[in-house]
Amino acid sequence: MTLDAPVPAPGAGVTFVMPVLNERDYLERAVETVLQQDVDGPAELVLALGPSTDGTTELAHRLADADPRIRLVDNPRADIPVALNLAIRSARHPTIVRVDAHSELAPGYTRQALATLDRVRAANVGGVMRADGRTPFQRAVAIAYNSPIGLGGGAYHGGAPEGPAESAYLGVMRRAVLEEVGLFDETIRRGEDWELNLRIRHAGYRVWFDPRLSVTYWPRESWARLARQFVATGTWRGELVRRLGRQNSLRFFAPPALVVAVAASIVLGILQVTGLITGVASAILSVVHLPLALYVLGILGFSATAGRSVRERAWLAVVLPTMHLSWGGGFLSGLLRGAKDTVDTSRLDRNTPLP
């Protein structure tokens, strides 16, 4: 049976919640797009501050001093689900709008999301994540994000029709339902939104996708940060498969399958080059190279047509395998040994101690 989420009284207000860690270059603009949202009733923005080392905390305090709608809570553990729970528990209003310091809300985002929540009686509604970039590398990552080839075709990465969804990007959520299902699981450091939405759906409530909602997302700025991000994300997806099995979508198994195919092709290639496998056996087993060859051709073809400049095309040919193999390798590690204390270090400076 599907349950209708509660609808607060008109003008009851919304609380925006934003985890923040080392976001000096993005925070001010992210906050600006939140404060520009047009909503009926009061609104507040709760920034959950991790132990930043790049001046982000000082910037957050200046922003809060300049606008009484901004409140600050400390998040010494730095973990995103902990930050979100701290912010939600301190919220004053019945609807929670999750926002990211590395993103920008489109004008009218919140008003449209609230209208959709009321109309379909959903517990959580999300829209499209439109990645963008400021450099050729970041734009190449954005192209990969915005394509099914890059991230596997989740609804919020493309133009899927409005309707029930597996999860929601960021999300505009009814606080009463969040509290009913137990908020975010603080033992999950990546993929916490997917797991929360799984519990919301299991409780009988709707998770909804509305393509009219749009959020600009700024990807990682360097190859090393991108690789670290995807290793951590893949590792935690492997952990979620350990915990929840086939409740995970089949699309999550494509990157680890690619890693296995690459490893098999490399091992066979070494055996062939060293002469340990020759003749008919070598010819028959060469079919193992086919998936990798098709993958390389596909990546080169997509990069040549999707990139808008030579530099973007070159970066795409690097970015896509980095995303796939880092995520897939992390997944296999998480599946076999668990995520344990794996953290996403792509937001940390090299001198920042791990939590």
Side-chain angles (χ1 to χ4, degrees):
M1 181 179 69
T2 302
L3 302 176
D4 290 337
V7 176
V14 300
T15 296
F16 298 86
V17 298
M18 181 189 295
V20 179
L21 178 67
N22 287 328
E23 296 287 5
R24 181 186 56 195
D25 294 338
Y26 296 91
L27 178 62
E28 189 164 9
R29 177 57 183 162
V31 168
E32 181 182 348
T33 66
V34 169
L35 298 180
Q36 289 174 347
Q37 295 295 300
D38 177 27
V39 298
D40 293 328
E44 63 177 351
L45 168 60
V46 181
L47 304 180
L49 302 179
S52 296
T53 58
D54 67 345
T56 293
T57 300
E58 293 77 9
L59 173 59
H61 280 274
R62 289 197 299 272
L63 294 172
D65 290 341
D67 195 309
R69 292 173 292 176
I70 302 175
R71 294 194 295 115
L72 309 178
V73 296
D74 288 329
N75 174 32
R77 286 175 54 184
D79 291 343
I80 289 176
V82 175
L84 291 168
N85 286 346
L86 287 168
I88 292 168
R89 290 189 181 106
S90 73
R92 297 167 176 160
H93 304 303
T95 300
I96 303 297
V97 183
R98 178 179 174 179
V99 287
D100 191 284
H102 229 57
S103 65
E104 299 175 10
L105 301 184
Y109 172 89
T110 306
R111 180 173 289 276
Q112 175 64 49
L114 293 174
T116 301
L117 278 176
D118 288 352
R119 173 170 54 87
V120 303
R121 299 293 297 272
N124 189 8
V125 62
V128 178
M129 182 186 78
R130 299 200 183 280
D132 202 351
R134 299 171 178 173
T135 65
F137 173 83
Q138 202 176 38
R139 287 194 294 271
V141 178
I143 292 170
Y145 264 86
N146 294 333
S147 166
I149 293 178
L151 291 180
Y156 56 82
H157 294 300
E162 180 180 4
E166 175 186 15
S167 187
Y169 175 58
L170 297 180
V172 180
M173 301 165 274
R174 297 304 191 196
R175 180 177 178 177
V177 175
L178 293 180
E179 292 173 341
E180 178 183 333
V181 301
L183 301 183
F184 287 89
D185 186 337
E186 296 183 3
T187 69
I188 300 173
R189 284 174 157 168
R190 301 288 295 178
E192 73 288 337
D193 48 352
W194 178 89
E195 191 275 338
L196 172 68
N197 283 295
L198 178 67
R199 281 186 282 123
I200 290 174
R201 291 188 286 111
H202 282 179
Y205 296 101
R206 297 177 188 87
V207 176
W208 200 259
F209 172 72
D210 185 347
R212 290 169 293 185
L213 302 176
S214 178
V215 179
T216 298
Y217 170 77
W218 301 98
R220 301 301 191 264
E221 305 89 344
S222 72
W223 178 85
R225 288 177 182 267
L226 180 72
R228 294 204 302 270
Q229 176 195 14
F230 272 75
V231 167
T233 303
T235 300
W236 277 103
R237 177 55 58 181
E239 172 68 28
L240 289 173
V241 170
R242 284 170 64 97
R243 296 189 190 190
L244 301 168
R246 282 293 308 278
Q247 294 181 83
N248 295 266
S249 172
L250 284 175
R251 64 188 174 89
F252 294 127
F253 294 84
L258 173 65
V259 172
V260 172
V262 170
S265 182
I266 291 173
V267 170
L268 177 61
I270 292 172
L271 295 175
Q272 290 173 323
V273 168
T274 56
L276 294 175
I277 296 180
T278 59
V280 175
S282 178
I284 293 174
L285 290 174
S286 289
V287 71
V288 171
H289 298 306
L290 183 59
L292 178 58
L294 293 174
Y295 174 79
V296 170
L297 290 174
I299 293 299
L300 293 176
F302 177 80
S303 301
T305 56
R308 291 165 290 184
S309 68
V310 173
R311 293 181 68 186
E312 285 182 18
R313 296 182 192 116
W315 273 122
L316 261 174
V318 175
V319 161
L320 286 165
T322 297
M323 292 167 62
H324 297 156
L325 296 175
S326 297
W327 200 100
F331 178 97
L332 293 173
S333 174
L335 182 65
L336 295 174
R337 58 184 291 273
K340 298 182 180 179
D341 294 327
T342 299
V343 296
D344 176 10
T345 61
S346 63
R347 287 278 189 259
L348 302 179
D349 289 343
R350 281 180 292 183
N351 296 325
T352 302
L354 295 178

